[in-house]
Amino acid sequence: KSDSDTYSCDIGDAQSRAKLTVQEAPVLFKQELQNEEAKEGKQVRLTCELSKPGTPVKWMKGDTVLHASEKYELKQHGTVAELIIRDVKSVDA
């Protein structure tokens, strides 16, 4: 997308110009979330992989947006996004 601009070829007495518009490719899941089972009190790691690094990710439980806390750790490295849920309880299902 950052390559979108007007480009020109200059030969001194004349110029030729063209406008380049780059359309961003849609972000897709290369690897989707997988169902997990865990024993109460343990830690669970949910992982997904995206087609484009640095894509903003929003983690949700039902309709509630999750934020980093003692309970939830949110990580993102390149195309991989992870949610770590600590000390799982039955209400976390």
Side-chain angles (χ1 to χ4, degrees):
K1 183 85 175 164
S2 63
D3 291 321
S4 294
D5 208 337
T6 300
Y7 291 83
S8 62
C9 181
D10 190 329
I11 57 171
D13 295 336
Q15 273 189 345
S16 179
R17 293 180 184 218
K19 182 177 180 179
L20 172 64
T21 303
V22 179
Q23 296 176 346
E24 287 190 78
V27 178
L28 304 171
F29 285 103
K30 288 175 73 177
Q31 178 185 339
E32 294 195 14
L33 292 173
Q34 301 297 311
N35 293 336
E36 297 286 340
E37 286 187 26
K39 291 187 178 185
E40 200 167 35
K42 297 292 183 183
Q43 174 176 294
V44 173
R45 181 184 310 260
L46 300 176
T47 304
C48 62
E49 186 175 359
L50 311 170
S51 62
K52 188 174 182 179
T55 301
V57 171
K58 177 171 54 174
W59 286 97
M60 300 180 70
K61 179 187 177 205
D63 294 330
T64 305
V65 177
L66 303 178
H67 300 282
S69 65
E70 287 185 27
K71 178 77 171 175
Y72 302 111
E73 183 178 351
L74 291 63
K75 293 182 175 185
Q76 194 165 353
H77 303 286
T79 59
V80 177
E82 293 182 320
L83 170 65
I84 298 168
I85 306 170
R86 296 185 184 92
D87 189 25
V88 294
K89 308 280 186 217
S90 58
V91 295
D92 294 315

